Amino acid sequence: MNIPREQRQQPGWHVDGNGLAGAMSDIFGRDITDAMGVCNFCGNRAAVAEVPAYNAGPGVVLRCAECDTILMRWATTPISTWLEMPGLRSLEIAMQP
Amino acid sequence: MARAAALPRLTWLPATISDVRRESATATTLRLDVDDWPGHVPGQHVDLRLTAPDGYSAVRPYSLASAGGSGTVEITVDTTPGGEVSTYLTQGARPGHHLEIRGPLGKWFVWDTSDTEPVQLIGGGSGIVPLMSMLRTHDAQQHPAQMRLLYSLPSAVHMLYRPELASLHAEGTVTFLYTRQPTAASTRPPGRITADDLRQHAINPDLKPSAFVCGPTGFVETVLTLLVGFGYDPERIRAERYGEGSST
Amino acid sequence: MTITEGFVGKASPQGVDLPPGQHLARGFPVLSAGPTPLISTSAWECTVTTTTGHKHVFDWTRLHQLPAEDITVDIHCVTRWSKLGTRWRGVPVEALLADIDDPTAAHVMASSYGGYRTNIPLADLLGGRAWLVFEYDGQALSPEHGGPVRLLVPHLYLWKSAKWITGLTLMATDQPGFWESLGYHRYGDPWLEQRHSRD
Ligand SMILES: Cc1cc2nc3c(=O)[nH]c(=O)nc-3n(C[C@H](O)[C@H](O)[C@H](O)COP(=O)(O)OP(=O)(O)OC[C@H]3O[C@@H](n4cnc5c(N)ncnc54)[C@H](O)[C@@H]3O)c2cc1C
Ligand SMILES: [Zn+2]
């Protein structure tokens, strides 16, 4: 799934997970931008807010900033949202205050 | 035992445009009336949802420009040529128009006012908006932390918040970096932000500043590389990328 | 429902025949699900794999030994923009399959550098309706738009026209690709507005 560093172009078409706080709240019921995710491929740990989010397309793809592994992706149709978390080893969501 | 009040679920709230102000040649500030607005901290954004009479709707994120804790909901939108939502917000929006808002959103790109370490802000184009909220919050609280802004913009006609920034500029808090057309008074040749600009105008990395960087994705990528090269601690840098559809 | 006075969404074109729900794009939007791979023409290759596992590798040189043609077509993206009269140059997919004997093949999985995949019925890649293209508007195809070589299947939504193509795997039965396994339509005909799996 990953493109070797020397073969990738400066990524340009993404925002940060932070900018998708609202879209993710549709799925998780709350703002999870401060949740910490661990990449199943390289072990990198990062806040959801910091993760590169590719949203110029039919759905949204969140990738590990270190190795490009797809942590989470989803697409919304008129009747449902399809969610996959192929490369997410864990997601730590803090208790609501 | 008393349970803490449940946080309101993030739902769409009806909002009415109460004020429309031209902010620059291409940008507009909108004030929104929102019942039960819970307040925000500086750096956060909202999602706006616009619905056309035929039922078509579009959602876009916009940073909050107003000071945190002020209870005021203000956003500033720059025109993206051909952009469907920004075209309406900068040209079609009028006081009394209705839309929907969800937020405040984002728990990461926020300035925690209990921090007293120096804060370097770097904004490109409309990326100045959440940084302005930080400056306004800093000002309203007479906050003791040192705060500085580097603002990259094409030319003075594109400047947002001109009166406020002009007085901060006079105090030495703000530096303008013109990419296309400098003012007569500026000695810097026009162009994109450079390592030299940081050396001359940014808070010294020895003071262990935190940094907030916001703007079009390409701008943010460039600044992050420069900041780390300059000696800023990557752990203390937070960034908000607006994507490439937004204007520089 | 809260209606925003004065908001019309995307302007609907006058007197242009577009598939339902589409509008005309300004410029050429870049769609992506990940970073853009930079692949040199000398490193590029596309492997055709048969249902029995035989591989036929096409590199840049071999691709250019096949007969290329100029193509002018309308393209339609499921994100609701269309672009009319786009000009490309490339080789019909049929030319890559000419010497391949695989009677059980009925579907194809197209795969890209970077891991993207999309499924297409084999018949839709034949008959001069699909190409491997390497020029757009008289110029070498840029990396953002899928260069050096992408698939072009203009009669289906554009997510089927896999960028940075590197594989065509023939299959006896249909399998969903990247978006098709996330609720998007398996076939994706814009004129029938087959956006989602239940459309
Ligand atoms: C967290 C966050 C906060 C933001 N805050 C602000 C703010 O305070 N002020 C502000 O002005 N903006 C802000 N933005 C940007 C804003 O959300 C919109 O992206 C912007 O207003 C453009 O929206 P639009 O509907 O007008 O344009 P769209 O209709 O979405 O199109 C934008 C333009 O870019 C082109 N385009 C769109 N996508 C692509 C693509 N993938 N490839 C090539 N071209 C493309 C379109 O053709 C069009 O010309 C923020 C973004 C984020 C993520
Ligand atoms: Zn990783």
Side-chain angles (χ1 to χ4, degrees):
Chain A
M1 216 57 207
N2 311 320
I3 305 169
R5 287 255 155 192
E6 61 281 5
Q7 276 184 19
R8 43 187 250 213
Q9 174 151 307
Q10 182 79 320
W13 303 103
H14 64 95
V15 298
D16 306 278
N18 198 57
L20 291 162
M24 286 188 281
S25 79
D26 278 337
I27 302 172
F28 294 95
R30 50 173 294 198
D31 184 340
I32 61 153
T33 50
D34 59 345
M36 300 297 291
V38 176
C39 170
N40 205 21
F41 186 78
C42 76
N44 186 50
R45 183 177 151 90
V48 169
E50 295 180 286
V51 164
Y54 294 82
N55 62 346
V60 180
V61 181
L62 302 189
R63 290 181 181 261
C64 172
E66 290 300 319
C67 75
D68 291 333
T69 289
I70 296 178
L71 302 175
M72 198 190 292
R73 64 187 190 110
W74 71 89
T76 298
T77 78
I79 51 170
S80 52
T81 291
W82 296 64
L83 171 70
E84 231 187 63
M85 307 207 225
L88 199 58
R89 184 182 302 165
S90 64
L91 186 65
E92 178 191 355
I93 304 175
M95 286 296 210
Q96 297 271 24
Chain B
M1 198 178 74
R3 251 187 83 195
L7 281 184
R9 236 183 99 96
L10 283 166
T11 48
W12 290 104
L13 300 170
T16 307
I17 298 174
S18 60
D19 188 36
V20 178
R21 269 197 326 270
R22 186 133 291 282
E23 196 68 70
S24 78
T26 54
T28 298
T29 291
L30 303 171
R31 180 180 288 218
L32 305 175
D33 269 353
V34 188
D35 284 345
D36 301 324
W37 176 251
H40 71 278
V41 288
Q44 287 191 297
H45 66 273
V46 294
D47 282 348
L48 292 191
R49 180 161 74 184
L50 310 185
T51 304
D54 66 359
Y56 172 80
S57 70
V59 177
R60 296 285 185 282
Y62 290 97
S63 300
L64 289 157
S66 32
S70 63
T72 306
V73 183
E74 273 189 7
I75 60 163
T76 303
V77 182
D78 207 348
T79 306
T80 297
E84 64 175 305
V85 172
S86 65
T87 302
Y88 164 77
L89 292 173
T90 55
Q91 290 158 39
R94 299 284 178 271
H97 283 188
H98 298 88
L99 43 79
E100 289 168 292
I101 184 173
R102 172 168 68 184
L105 296 166
K107 299 183 183 173
W108 192 255
F109 189 79
V110 290
W111 177 47
D112 179 350
T113 53
S114 65
D115 285 349
T116 50
E117 62 199 14
V119 185
Q120 179 64 54
L121 311 175
I122 304 182
S126 50
I128 181 81
V129 177
L131 310 182
M132 195 64 207
S133 173
M134 296 180 191
L135 282 168
R136 286 169 166 167
T137 310
H138 183 270
D139 186 53
Q141 301 190 357
Q142 309 243 307
H143 199 279
Q146 183 188 10
M147 187 176 270
R148 268 202 217 165
L149 169 67
L150 291 184
Y151 179 12
S152 166
L153 69 168
S155 65
V157 290
H158 291 91
M159 191 182 296
L160 307 182
Y161 318 119
R162 196 167 186 152
E164 279 169 277
L165 290 182
S167 67
L168 289 170
H169 175 67
E171 291 168 18
T173 304
V174 177
T175 307
F176 303 118
L177 305 171
Y178 297 106
T179 58
R180 274 204 301 255
Q181 183 62 55
T183 54
S186 79
T187 51
R188 177 185 178 276
R192 294 178 172 226
I193 185 168
T194 64
D196 240 19
D197 293 322
L198 293 188
R199 270 194 298 277
Q200 284 184 35
H201 305 292
I203 297 173
N204 192 306
D206 295 343
L207 299 174
K208 305 228 174 303
S210 58
F212 292 89
V213 184
C214 184
T217 300
F219 171 84
V220 170
E221 300 283 336
T222 304
V223 172
L224 294 183
T225 309
L226 292 176
L227 274 178
V228 174
F230 184 42
Y232 274 55
D233 177 0
E235 295 285 315
R236 290 175 192 261
I237 307 176
R238 298 205 169 176
E240 182 91 282
R241 292 166 182 80
Y242 276 4
E244 291 302 320
S246 66
S247 61
T248 336
Chain C
M1 188 163 67
T2 304
I3 303 287
T4 302
E5 302 81 350
F7 175 67
V8 288
K10 299 204 157 113
S12 45
Q14 305 274 305
V16 189
D17 194 19
L18 287 181
Q22 296 294 107
H23 69 92
L24 287 179
R26 267 174 73 107
F28 191 169
V30 173
L31 295 202
S32 72
T36 303
L38 270 189
I39 300 128
S40 65
T41 52
S42 57
W44 177 83
E45 54 182 45
C46 181
T47 304
V48 177
T49 308
T50 67
T51 53
T52 53
H54 284 93
K55 293 188 188 305
H56 304 257
V57 179
F58 293 82
D59 63 8
W60 185 253
T61 310
R62 194 168 166 204
L63 184 73
H64 282 76
Q65 285 160 357
L66 299 172
E69 55 194 52
D70 292 315
I71 309 134
T72 302
V73 287
D74 302 340
I75 53 178
H76 310 290
C77 179
V78 74
T79 60
R80 298 186 180 271
W81 56 265
S82 293
K83 202 167 163 54
L84 306 182
T86 58
R87 299 191 305 122
W88 309 79
R89 185 169 175 77
V91 172
V93 174
E94 194 147 19
L96 281 80
L97 304 177
D99 296 326
I100 292 167
D101 180 23
D102 192 355
T104 54
H107 298 270
V108 177
M109 186 67 82
S111 50
S112 305
Y113 287 94
Y116 181 76
R117 284 147 47 103
T118 186
N119 56 309
I120 304 148
L122 177 58
D124 286 78
L125 295 182
L126 307 177
R129 296 199 292 166
W131 297 264
L132 289 198
V133 293
F134 42 80
E135 277 180 26
Y136 171 71
D137 219 12
Q139 307 280 319
L141 185 59
S142 66
E144 303 87 90
H145 290 301
V149 185
R150 78 179 291 170
L151 181 62
L152 179 66
V153 197
H155 68 284
L156 302 179
Y157 280 125
L158 202 57
W159 90 75
K160 297 288 183 180
S161 294
K163 303 205 271 190
W164 317 297
I165 187 90
T166 189
L168 293 170
T169 303
L170 305 181
M171 308 182 294
T173 54
D174 198 11
Q175 301 280 329
F178 190 85
W179 293 121
E180 294 84 359
S181 60
L182 220 54
Y184 277 85
H185 201 277
R186 286 202 170 204
Y187 184 62
D189 183 338
W191 294 96
L192 300 176
E193 215 176 350
Q194 293 172 337
R195 297 177 195 274
H196 303 110
S197 54
R198 308 233 171 85
D199 290 344

